[in-house]
Amino acid sequence: MSRIKFFTYHGCLDSGKRRNNSPAADTKTDYIVSVLNRLGYGVDIISRASSAESHFIPAYVKTEGNNIYRYFASLKKNKSILRIFNRWLMEFQFFFWCLFNIKKGEQIIVYHSLGYDSLFLRLKKIKSVKIIGDIEEIYQDVSKQDKKKCKNEYMFIDSCDKYIFPTQLLDQKVNKQQKPSLVIHGVYTTEKNIGEKFSDGKIHVVYGGTLDPNKGGAAAAAAAAEFLPGNYFVHICGFGDPCQIKSIVADVQKRSKAKITFEGEFKGNDYKHFIQKCHIGLSTQNPNAAFNATSFPSKVLVYLSNGLKVVSIHIPAIAQSAVADKLFFYYEQTPEKIAEAIIQASKKEQNGDEILNDLDMKFSDELSRLVEE
């Protein structure tokens, strides 16, 4: 069996060994890894993720099927005095592991991150590695970065030999030399049913994703509850600092006939189990933010793959996607319009299984060609 290395910030859910991560990024990475397995590749997932525990975690390697997951030693989380030292420790381990374990001219997959862009620029010179860049978004479009990080971000993207993009729009924006590339919006598999729908007579609506105020999705989803009838129940769950969204949820509930709750963060099967109990998933990020011109919210595919109807803001990246005709769009970023789209979606049937199966087969063929050409 051939092997390929995949560098990312993959999390670990094992007790006492948890790592900081983005569940959305892990979900998409896991799907790409599963397709690589189908194509006959074993994958070495090399994670740069630091500790999410209150204690030191030693380096950790585990094997699952044909895949090997490698995590580096990391100090306690949220210890400000040690934060800089921990970053140096992680960078030191990561760089020297790459230096001694990546072969000259080897083809690798790198999930784009500002945390190690500059490192892979150095490895490109030292090892002449061929990089398949998994470019999910332009981070400086999401939040302000210093000049050095902005420069390194585009230098890394330009240095990639091939690309995996979430949208055709991002491909057109950064792949000026028209290098080999493919587009994958998210997870194209239908998940097994592990959670029965809520049966309390209410229509359950869920927002699952980042709580980052720069993205704006969680706050917009919560605000819509005020304009829903009493037979609706809005659930907000996600990752990031929960303080602001907790305050918004509490404030909206005072004025709302519909029920709204903040559920905290779910990961892995716990997340799938929870959203499968709901009826409608929300993709409500701020349409005016720069990143929305090119990025695709992976939650859309996660909702579809778990059997939910999806209400989404109408922006080009989503409206021009392969799943657009399976979604319920709203056109103005107001709580009233979001609520109207939710009510409309609740009255109609929707099934995304067939299109997901078609996209899965297409992606498998395209990934095979990308890796082998």
Side-chain angles (χ1 to χ4, degrees):
M1 173 176 277
S2 301
R3 300 201 68 81
I4 189 167
K5 295 180 178 68
F6 197 148
F7 295 87
T8 178
Y9 276 72
H10 198 277
C12 178
L13 301 181
D14 295 354
S15 178
K17 299 174 182 177
R18 294 176 302 116
R19 302 290 175 133
N20 288 316
N21 69 311
S22 162
D26 281 2
T27 298
K28 191 167 183 180
T29 296
D30 290 342
Y31 172 64
I32 295 173
V33 168
S34 72
V35 176
L36 286 167
N37 291 160
R38 265 193 267 156
L39 296 171
Y41 289 89
V43 186
D44 299 310
I45 297 92
I46 317 302
S47 175
R48 174 67 173 70
S50 59
S51 173
E53 301 285 359
S54 58
H55 57 265
F56 169 78
I57 307 178
Y60 178 50
V61 178
K62 70 174 182 176
T63 301
E64 291 186 0
N66 294 313
N67 305 318
I68 299 172
Y69 295 79
R70 179 176 296 276
Y71 304 91
F72 298 97
S74 179
L75 303 177
K76 302 175 182 180
K77 70 169 183 176
N78 297 328
K79 296 293 181 181
S80 56
I81 298 175
L82 299 176
R83 190 171 295 157
I84 294 175
F85 181 74
N86 188 53
R87 188 175 72 241
W88 288 343
L89 173 65
M90 296 295 292
E91 288 177 357
F92 178 84
Q93 295 173 93
F94 192 77
F95 177 75
F96 280 99
W97 189 94
C98 292
L99 189 63
F100 291 113
N101 290 278
I102 296 176
K103 299 173 185 175
K104 194 170 182 66
E106 182 178 0
Q107 178 172 254
I108 60 176
I109 305 173
V110 179
Y111 190 102
H112 166 44
S113 167
L114 298 178
Y116 51 47
D117 278 354
S118 58
L119 181 150
F120 281 103
L121 287 170
R122 294 199 297 273
L123 286 170
K124 183 82 173 174
K125 294 178 180 178
I126 298 169
K127 292 279 190 173
S128 300
V129 290
K130 293 180 174 60
I131 299 175
I132 301 174
D134 184 355
I135 316 296
E136 293 300 317
E137 58 189 346
I138 307 299
Y139 293 113
Q140 58 194 272
D141 287 346
V142 178
S143 59
K144 188 175 181 180
Q145 305 293 333
D146 62 49
K147 289 183 179 179
K148 185 176 180 181
K149 284 189 176 181
C150 290
K151 181 181 178 182
N152 283 341
E153 180 168 34
Y154 275 111
M155 285 178 65
F156 169 79
I157 293 171
D158 289 342
S159 76
C160 293
D161 301 277
K162 306 174 186 179
Y163 299 100
I164 298 171
F165 290 115
T167 66
Q168 199 67 45
L169 295 172
L170 185 54
D171 192 343
Q172 293 167 0
K173 178 177 180 177
V174 303
N175 188 10
K176 300 299 185 183
Q177 299 179 48
Q178 297 185 333
K179 297 175 185 176
S181 66
L182 62 78
V183 171
I184 169 178
H185 301 318
V187 177
Y188 294 150
T189 54
T190 303
E191 296 288 350
K192 273 199 228 174
N193 187 10
I194 57 175
E196 295 297 324
K197 297 292 185 189
F198 285 109
S199 57
D200 56 2
K202 293 183 181 291
I203 296 166
H204 289 258
V205 182
V206 60
Y207 170 89
T210 179
L211 306 179
D212 183 355
N214 292 311
K215 294 290 183 79
E226 183 178 350
F227 299 92
L228 290 171
N231 63 324
Y232 284 78
F233 195 138
V234 178
H235 305 269
I236 308 294
C237 58
F239 54 94
D241 187 345
C243 292
Q244 185 181 69
I245 195 63
K246 282 183 176 180
S247 175
I248 293 171
V249 166
D251 185 55
V252 171
Q253 184 62 87
K254 293 174 185 176
R255 305 187 300 274
S256 176
K257 293 179 181 178
K259 179 75 174 174
I260 178 171
T261 58
F262 175 67
E263 306 290 350
E265 181 178 359
F266 296 106
K267 290 186 177 183
N269 283 335
D270 289 339
Y271 179 61
K272 293 176 188 176
H273 181 267
F274 183 79
I275 66 171
Q276 284 183 11
K277 295 168 71 176
C278 298
H279 305 95
I280 298 170
L282 300 181
S283 178
T284 47
Q285 68 271 30
N286 177 10
N288 298 316
F291 63 85
N292 273 324
T294 51
S295 67
F296 186 92
S298 59
K299 64 173 67 65
V300 168
L301 272 296
V302 174
Y303 294 148
L304 286 176
S305 67
N306 282 281
L308 279 71
K309 291 180 275 191
V310 182
V311 168
S312 171
I313 178 63
H314 189 279
I315 53 175
I318 302 176
Q320 295 174 22
S321 73
V323 296
D325 62 350
K326 299 294 181 182
L327 311 180
F328 296 89
F329 287 111
Y330 64 93
Y331 295 82
E332 295 178 33
Q333 187 73 347
T334 65
E336 295 92 339
K337 293 299 182 183
I338 297 172
E340 286 177 12
I342 291 170
I343 293 169
Q344 181 185 14
S346 70
K347 296 175 180 178
K348 296 184 179 180
E349 295 298 322
Q350 187 63 282
N351 187 342
D353 289 1
E354 185 177 342
I355 193 169
L356 290 178
N357 291 334
D358 290 344
L359 289 171
D360 179 56
M361 289 187 289
K362 180 184 176 186
F363 173 66
S364 182
D365 290 342
E366 291 179 345
L367 185 59
S368 177
R369 288 195 295 271
L370 186 75
V371 173
E372 294 172 8
E373 68 182 359

